[in-house]
C-alpha cells in the first residue's frame, strides 16, 4: 500500500515538470526591447513652439535638462532658468530646431521653433492710425504679414498697406486680402470747350511800269514796281486791270482788298467709368498711319492716334470724396502744316489740346483743370523802300495786312460715385426710338429718318407731403 502511494507521488511530480517550464516561457518579459538590444534608443517626441521676434516663450519640462542645442541661433536662442524650465527667445522670423539633452547626454525632447513677426505691434499701430476701421485684421506667418478683413475705402486699404510694409523685409512678404465694403465705381465726365475767332484785313496797291533803257549794246534796263499783297492772300488776282500810258511803256495798277472773319467752335464731352484703383482709357477718333524710315531705305508704318483720348485712375478716399489722376487730349489732323519727307510722301501735323492733372473733389463736384486765353495779332507792311514812306503818294507803293487770332479753351471735369442700374430700361441710348424713313418719304420728302418714337411711361406718383421744417437750410 505504501509502495503504491509512493509511486503515485513520483508519477505526479514527473507529469507536473513540463507544465512548469511552459509557464515560465509565457510570462517572461525581456529587459530591453528590440531597439535597445540593437544599440538604438527610442526617438524623443517632437513638438512645435510658436514664438514672436524679440519676445520669449516659457517651456516647462518633465525631465531634468542638462544641455540644449539650437539649430540656428540667429532665429532663436535658449535660456535655461532651472532643470525643469527653459525660455525660448525669438531673434528673427524663420524656423529652427531645438534639442534638449538629459544628464546622460540623451535627447529626451525635440522642439520645432517657428518665429514670426510681431503682429500685435502692427495691430496696435493700425488701431491708432485707423480707428474707424474695426474690420481691419492682420495675421503673421514666419516673415510675412497678411492684411485681412474689410475696410471702408481704398484710401484706408492703401494706408494700411503702407504701414504694414515697414514691418516686413520686402513687398513680397506683405499679402493684402482686404475687401472694400463701399461702392467703388466712379464715373468721370470731361468737357473740353474751345472757341477760335479769326479776323483778317488786307489792303494793297501796286504799280508796274516798264520802260526800256538802253545800256550797252543790246542790253536794256526795265524798271517797275511789282504789285504788293498781304500775308494770307499772296496770290490774289488784281481787282482792277492794267492801263497803258503812251510814252512810258505800260502802267499796271493792282488793287487787293480783303476782309475775312472766321469762327470755330469745338465741344467734346467724353464719359468713362472705372473701378476705384484701376485705370480706364477711351479713344474716339482714329489712327493715322505715319511712315517711318528704317535701315537701307526701308519704310515702316506707325499709327498715331487722334481724336478724343481720355484716361484716368480714380481712388475713393472716403465715402463721397475722390482722388483722380487723369489725362485728356483732343487732337485733329492739320494738313496745312504737313511735312514733306519725299517727293511722294507727306506727313501731316496735328492740332492738340492736352491736359494732365491729379485732383481731389467730392462726388458730384466739378472743377476746371485747364484753361487758355490766347490773343495773337499780326501786322505786316510791304512796299518799296523810300517811296512807301512818302506822304499821301506812299499809299501807292505799299500794302498793309492785319490778322488777329483769338482762342479760348476750357477743360472741366465732374466725377460721380455710381452704381449699376437694376433694370436696363432705366438706361437710354441715342438709337432708342429710331425709325428709318420709308421709300416715299425718302424720295419725295427727302427724310432720312422717321419721327422718333418714345416708350410710354407711367406718370410718377406724387411725393408724400413733407412734415416739419424743410428747405435748403434747417437750423
Amino acid at each position: 500500500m505504501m509502495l503504491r502511494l509512493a509511486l503515485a507521488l513520483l508519477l505526479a511530480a514527473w507529469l507536473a515538470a513540463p507544465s512548469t517550464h511552459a509557464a515560465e516561457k509565457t510570462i517572461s518579459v525581456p529587459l530591453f526591447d528590440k531597439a535597445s538590444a540593437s544599440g538604438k534608443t527610442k526617438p524623443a517626441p517632437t513638438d512645435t513652439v510658436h514664438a514672436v521676434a524679440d519676445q520669449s516663450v516659457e517651456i516647462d519640462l518633465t525631465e531634468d535638462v542638462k544641455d540644449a542645442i539650437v539649430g540656428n541661433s540667429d532665429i532663436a536662442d535658449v535660456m535655461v532658468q532651472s532643470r525643469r524650465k527653459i525660455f525660448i527667445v525669438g531673434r528673427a522670423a524663420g524656423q529652427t530646431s531645438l534639442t534638449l539633452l538629459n544628464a546622460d547626454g540623451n535627447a529626451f525632447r525635440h522642439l520645432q521653433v517657428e518665429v514670426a513677426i510681431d503682429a500685435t505691434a502692427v495691430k496696435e499701430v493700425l488701431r491708432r492710425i485707423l480707428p474707424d476701421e474695426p474690420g481691419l485684421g492682420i495675421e503673421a506667418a514666419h516673415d510675412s504679414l497678411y492684411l485681412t478683413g474689410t475696410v471702408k475705402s481704398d484710401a484706408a486699404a492703401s494706408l494700411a498697406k503702407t504701414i504694414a510694409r515697414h514691418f516686413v523685409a520686402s513687398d513680397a512678404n506683405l499679402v493684402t486680402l482686404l475687401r472694400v465694403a463701399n461702392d467703388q465705381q466712379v464715373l468721370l465726365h470731361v468737357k473740353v470747350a474751345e472757341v477760335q475767332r479769326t479776323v483778317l484785313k488786307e489792303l494793297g496797291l501796286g504799280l508796274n511800269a516798264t520802260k526800256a533803257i538802253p545800256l550797252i549794246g543790246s542790253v536794256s534796263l526795265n524798271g517797275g514796281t511789282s504789285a504788293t499783297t498781304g500775308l494770307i492772300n499772296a496770290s490774289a488776282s488784281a481787282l482792277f486791270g492794267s492801263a497803258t500810258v503812251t510814252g512810258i511803256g505800260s502802267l499796271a495798277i493792282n488793287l487787293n482788298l480783303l476782309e475775312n472773319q472766321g469762327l470755330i467752335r469745338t465741344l467734346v464731352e467724353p464719359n468713362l467709368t472705372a473701378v476705384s484703383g484701376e485705370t480706364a482709357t477711351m479713344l474716339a477718333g482714329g489712327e493715322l498711319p505715319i511712315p517711318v524710315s528704317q535701315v537701307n531705305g526701308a519704310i515702316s508704318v506707325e499709327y498715331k492716334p487722334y481724336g478724343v483720348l481720355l484716361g484716368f485712375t480714380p481712388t475713393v478716399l472716403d465715402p463721397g470724396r475722390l482722388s483722380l489722376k487723369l489725362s485728356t487730349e483732343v487732337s485733329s489732323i492739320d494738313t496745312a502744316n504737313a511735312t514733306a519727307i519725299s517727293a511722294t510722301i507727306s506727313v501731316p501735323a496735328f492740332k492738340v489740346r492736352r491736359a494732365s492733372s491729379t485732383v481731389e473733389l467730392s462726388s458730384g463736384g466739378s472743377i476746371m483743370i485747364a484753361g487758355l486765353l490766347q490773343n495773337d495779332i499780326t501786322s505786316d507792311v510791304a512796299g518799296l523802300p523810300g517811296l512807301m514812306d512818302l506822304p499821301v503818294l506812299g499809299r501807292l507803293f505799299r500794302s498793309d495786312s492785319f490778322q488777329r487770332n483769338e482762342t479760348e479753351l476750357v477743360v472741366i471735369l465732374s466725377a460721380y460715385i455710381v452704381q449699376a442700374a437694376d433694370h436696363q430700361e432705366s438706361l437710354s441710348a441715342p438709337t432708342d426710338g429710331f425709325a428709318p424713313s420709308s421709300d416715299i418719304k425718302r424720295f419725295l420728302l427727302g427724310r432720312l429718318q422717321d419721327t422718333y418714337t418714345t416708350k410710354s411711361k407711367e406718370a410718377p406718383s406724387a411725393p408724400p407731403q413733407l412734415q416739419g421744417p424743410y428747405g435748403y437750410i434747417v437750423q
Side-chain angles (χ1 to χ4, degrees):
M1 191 66 170
M2 293 296 293
L3 182 59
R4 290 181 178 178
L5 180 60
L7 292 174
L9 292 175
L10 291 174
L11 180 61
W14 181 79
L15 293 175
S19 61
T20 303
H21 291 295
E24 290 178 356
K25 292 181 180 179
T26 302
I27 64 175
S28 63
V29 178
L31 297 177
F32 301 97
D33 55 11
K34 294 182 179 180
S36 300
S38 61
K40 298 181 181 179
T41 59
K42 271 188 170 184
T46 301
D47 299 326
T48 301
V49 178
H50 298 279
V52 178
D54 299 328
Q55 295 186 13
S56 62
V57 178
E58 181 181 355
I59 303 295
D60 293 326
L61 305 176
T62 59
E63 191 174 343
D64 292 347
V65 60
K66 177 64 175 178
D67 200 359
I69 301 175
V70 182
N72 189 349
S73 59
D74 293 335
I75 296 179
D77 198 0
V78 179
M79 299 178 62
V80 180
Q81 185 187 24
S82 63
R83 295 181 179 180
R84 296 293 181 96
K85 181 178 292 186
I86 64 173
F87 288 89
I88 299 177
V89 181
R91 297 298 186 188
Q95 292 182 342
T96 187
S97 62
L98 172 63
T99 304
L100 302 177
L101 307 178
N102 55 19
D104 297 332
N106 298 324
F108 67 91
R109 192 170 183 183
H110 293 290
L111 296 177
Q112 187 69 24
V113 182
E114 296 183 357
V115 182
I117 301 174
D118 187 7
T120 305
V122 186
K123 289 180 181 178
E124 182 63 23
V125 175
L126 292 176
R127 185 188 64 81
R128 293 199 304 263
I129 298 180
L130 297 172
D132 297 332
E133 300 294 343
L136 175 61
I138 188 166
E139 299 293 338
H142 305 308
D143 57 348
S144 300
L145 289 177
Y146 295 83
L147 293 174
T148 60
T150 303
V151 293
K152 298 179 182 179
S153 64
D154 278 343
S158 178
L159 182 58
K161 184 177 179 181
T162 302
I163 296 173
R165 174 61 181 84
H166 293 281
F167 292 85
V168 295
S170 62
D171 294 336
N173 299 115
L174 181 59
V175 181
T176 303
L177 304 176
L178 295 175
R179 186 176 64 89
V180 181
N182 296 331
D183 299 326
Q184 299 296 302
Q185 293 189 128
V186 180
L187 170 65
L188 180 66
H189 174 77
V190 179
K191 178 185 292 186
V192 181
E194 181 182 12
V195 176
Q196 298 181 4
R197 290 183 291 268
T198 303
V199 177
L200 173 65
K201 296 181 179 180
E202 291 185 354
L203 175 60
L205 182 63
L207 300 177
N208 189 1
T210 60
K211 177 63 177 179
I213 302 176
L215 295 177
I216 301 174
S218 61
V219 179
S220 60
L221 176 64
N222 294 329
T225 62
S226 60
T228 57
T229 56
L231 293 176
I232 303 301
N233 196 10
S235 60
S237 301
L239 299 181
F240 294 88
S242 60
T244 302
V245 179
T246 304
I248 64 172
S250 63
L251 176 62
I253 301 176
N254 297 328
L255 179 62
N256 183 26
L257 295 174
L258 176 63
E259 181 173 351
N260 184 16
Q261 297 184 4
L263 176 64
I264 300 176
R265 176 182 179 270
T266 303
L267 178 62
V268 180
E269 297 187 21
N271 298 313
L272 193 59
T273 303
V275 178
S276 177
E278 300 295 332
T279 301
T281 59
M282 183 190 72
L283 170 61
E287 292 186 348
L288 183 68
I290 303 295
V292 179
S293 178
Q294 301 294 335
V295 183
N296 299 327
I299 296 178
S300 62
V301 176
E302 293 183 0
Y303 290 89
K304 169 69 176 178
Y306 69 94
V308 180
L309 291 87
L310 176 62
F312 83 111
T313 303
T315 302
V316 179
L317 302 177
D318 294 312
R321 186 157 188 83
L322 308 172
S323 174
L324 301 176
K325 182 179 180 181
L326 76 148
S327 61
T328 180
E329 177 181 316
V330 179
S331 58
S332 59
I333 300 176
D334 184 11
T335 57
N337 296 318
T339 302
I341 60 178
S342 67
T344 58
I345 300 177
S346 178
V347 179
F350 290 90
K351 294 181 179 179
V352 180
R353 301 90 170 168
R354 183 184 297 117
S356 178
S357 179
T358 301
V359 296
E360 293 184 6
L361 70 164
S362 59
S363 177
S366 300
I367 188 172
M368 184 177 67
I369 64 170
L372 172 65
L373 178 60
Q374 183 178 1
N375 191 348
D376 297 333
I377 297 177
T378 304
S379 297
D380 181 77
V381 177
L384 293 176
L387 297 179
M388 60 180 292
D389 298 328
L390 295 176
V392 183
L393 295 178
R395 176 71 268 180
L396 301 176
F397 302 96
R398 70 173 181 265
S399 176
D400 299 333
S401 177
F402 172 83
Q403 183 177 0
R404 181 174 182 176
N405 297 327
E406 294 181 348
T407 301
E408 296 182 21
L409 175 65
V410 174
V411 180
I412 302 174
L413 66 90
S414 303
Y416 309 87
I417 298 179
V418 295
Q419 296 179 348
D422 296 333
H423 304 284
Q424 184 179 1
E425 291 76 9
S426 60
L427 303 177
S428 60
T431 57
D432 293 344
F434 176 81
S437 61
S438 62
D439 293 341
I440 297 178
K441 292 183 179 180
R442 184 170 61 254
F443 292 138
L444 299 181
L445 302 179
R447 292 183 180 177
L448 299 179
Q449 74 280 341
D450 207 341
T451 305
Y452 275 79
T453 59
T454 57
K455 298 180 180 180
S456 61
K457 297 182 180 180
E458 297 180 1
S461 57
Q465 185 176 1
L466 298 176
Q467 303 293 333
Y470 59 90
Y472 293 100
I473 301 177
V474 178
Q475 296 181 349

